[in-house]
Amino acid sequence: MSDGPMSGVRVLDVSTILAGPLASALLGEFGAEVIKIEHPAEGDPARLYPPLEDGVSAAWTMLGRTKRSVTIDLHHPEAAHLVGRLAAASDIVVTNFRPATLRRFRIDFDDLRAYRPDLVMVHVSAFGRTGPYAERPGFARVAEAFAGLTYRTGDPDRPPVFSGYPVADGVTGIYAAFAALLALRQRDLTGAAQLADIPLYEPLLRMMEDFVVEYGATGASRERQGNENPHISPNNLYRTRDGRWLALPASTEQMWRRLVGVMDAPDLAVHDSMTARLEHREEIEARVAAFVAAHDLEPLMASLIGAGVAAGPVNSAADVCADPHIRARGSVVEVPGEGSGRPRLMQAPAGRFSGFDATIGHGAPALGEHTTDILRDLVGLTEPEIDDLRDRGVV
């Protein structure tokens, strides 16, 4: 196995909280060197997210992994030149400040490509760099609502609800990492600097493939349907006899026929198209719910899987960490902790590849842990010069 396909690529992470840092972390998991710039006093706000273990956010141990920490106060007049010199030694800059903030800090795309003419910048922001909302602030929940995801999430007779996790940060972080690879490829083909402008809401809007096209075809917005799927029946969460929950989406004709067989309900086979099943959704959902409610989860899962029916339990974090498949694949790992050294549970990088391995590498850094090393090795400053910057509050 190699050191990873991103080996030899240096990423300068000038972002905070989730989407931008996730993008740089994903690149780091596959071999990139990631240098994270943080405020000297507070660092990334995610460092303070509860719960804290040994004074360190449990979430930060995941969000900060694979990275090296350099402290620079971006508000200081001398900071822009330091960031520019770090950008000159980097291939990709990831940032998520508002466009006006980047301009005020003098670290926008045009500022930094003066230091590296073939720079790649991935700029994640709430609404993108163009359009009338470009300077609006926003977080994941604002983006989810703006893109329409929140409108269609929840029960039809109740207010809209957020998803269980700020999915816009995750989806956009992944999309931003994908954009970084596209821009890097284009830079390598053309030699020209590349700017990837990624709003938080656009990857979500792209993800909901039925949302706009259905409105264009019908003139009606898709309303909330709870756990039902507008295009598939049965498709729901069903409660078992022992109080567990089962996800059971019969998304194809083959799955429907298999499910009817497991249920021993030949009378339901008459509903032999998705259109017919949607027309009789109430009857079908009630029959499936009653069938599931008559069985305990584990034996029911064995029957469904034995018949080739796609179904699965609704897992808590405890269930996830105990699941034999997740353990066998190493989807959750134990990483040595800082301080006490007590192992910390966290998700492993996603996917397995034939020619290389992803790696977590070193754990999350202490605030400013690598400031001296990086400013000395990449910027060429002497240690007395770095001490002077530190004394004056630049770093």
Side-chain angles (χ1 to χ4, degrees):
M1 294 288 183
S2 73
D3 292 330
M6 299 301 293
S7 295
V9 173
R10 183 175 291 127
V11 179
L12 188 62
D13 181 351
V14 195
S15 62
T16 60
I17 315 286
L18 294 180
L22 173 59
S24 63
L26 292 172
L27 299 173
E29 288 173 2
F30 292 96
E33 177 191 357
V34 182
I35 297 171
K36 181 173 179 63
I37 292 179
E38 301 186 73
H39 189 278
E42 296 89 15
D44 192 309
R47 287 180 177 271
L48 301 178
Y49 281 7
L52 302 180
E53 295 183 301
D54 303 321
V56 177
S57 167
W60 172 249
T61 62
M62 173 112 182
L63 295 170
R65 71 188 193 187
T66 79
K67 302 179 182 182
R68 303 168 75 196
S69 174
V70 174
T71 53
I72 300 176
D73 183 354
L74 297 177
H75 300 85
H76 197 285
E78 296 179 46
H81 182 56
L82 277 181
V83 174
R85 292 176 70 178
L86 287 172
S90 303
D91 299 281
I92 301 169
V93 171
V94 176
T95 188
N96 64 353
F97 291 104
R98 276 187 272 174
T101 303
L102 289 180
R103 292 192 296 270
R104 186 172 75 252
F105 288 160
R106 294 180 291 118
I107 57 170
D108 203 1
F109 180 57
D110 288 338
D111 299 309
L112 295 184
R113 68 175 174 172
Y115 290 87
R116 176 157 185 168
D118 63 348
L119 182 71
V120 168
M121 175 182 273
V122 179
H123 184 190
V124 176
S125 60
F127 294 96
R129 295 171 64 96
T130 60
Y133 303 160
E135 296 301 339
R136 284 188 182 183
F139 293 107
R141 296 309 196 183
V142 175
E144 290 159 22
F146 185 72
L149 177 64
T150 309
Y151 182 87
R152 63 186 292 181
T153 304
D155 293 320
D157 58 345
R158 309 227 5 166
V161 298
F162 290 137
S163 58
Y165 179 82
V167 65
D169 280 322
V171 171
T172 304
I174 295 167
Y175 200 96
F178 165 65
L181 299 181
L182 295 178
L184 193 64
R185 170 69 170 161
Q186 182 71 359
R187 192 277 302 275
D188 291 345
L189 289 172
T190 66
Q194 303 293 323
L195 172 64
D197 172 13
I198 312 295
L200 272 173
Y201 79 90
E202 271 186 353
L204 281 179
L205 193 58
R206 172 63 182 85
M207 178 185 74
M208 297 186 292
E209 295 183 333
D210 62 342
F211 191 52
V212 172
V213 293
E214 187 174 285
Y215 170 74
T218 67
S221 294
R222 173 62 59 183
E223 300 296 324
R224 291 181 290 284
Q225 291 186 257
N227 289 322
E228 292 180 352
N229 186 298
H231 311 295
I232 301 167
S233 180
N235 184 109
N236 217 312
L237 300 178
Y238 304 96
R239 193 162 197 176
T240 62
R241 184 169 57 192
D242 54 348
R244 300 286 300 278
W245 288 93
L246 179 76
L248 182 55
S251 301
T252 65
E253 298 303 314
Q254 185 179 56
M255 285 294 169
W256 169 244
R257 289 192 293 268
R258 291 172 180 173
L259 177 59
V260 167
V262 175
M263 293 174 64
D264 193 21
D267 61 303
L268 290 179
V270 67
H271 305 306
D272 60 355
S273 71
M274 194 64 74
T275 299
R277 291 194 291 281
L278 290 173
E279 290 174 353
H280 295 85
R281 183 199 295 273
E282 187 173 343
E283 173 198 357
I284 290 170
E285 293 288 351
R287 289 282 295 276
V288 174
F291 168 74
V292 172
H295 297 80
D296 292 342
L297 177 69
E298 293 302 332
L300 177 57
M301 279 289 298
S303 297
L304 292 169
I305 293 169
V309 176
V314 177
N315 282 336
S316 67
D319 296 326
V320 165
C321 291
D323 186 89
H325 181 82
I326 288 173
R327 293 170 69 92
R329 275 186 63 87
S331 305
V332 170
V333 294
E334 285 190 352
V335 175
E338 307 297 325
S340 68
R342 185 168 62 84
R344 299 179 186 272
L345 284 174
M346 62 181 66
Q347 299 95 304
R352 303 294 179 267
F353 303 87
S354 62
F356 56 90
D357 286 324
T359 179
I360 293 173
H362 54 79
L367 180 61
E369 179 179 343
H370 306 98
T371 300
T372 298
D373 292 344
I374 288 172
L375 293 183
R376 181 189 63 226
D377 298 342
L378 296 187
V379 178
L381 299 180
T382 64
E383 295 201 17
E385 289 173 324
I386 296 168
D387 290 339
D388 177 60
L389 290 173
R390 188 172 283 114
D391 291 340
R392 292 187 293 111
V394 185
V395 303

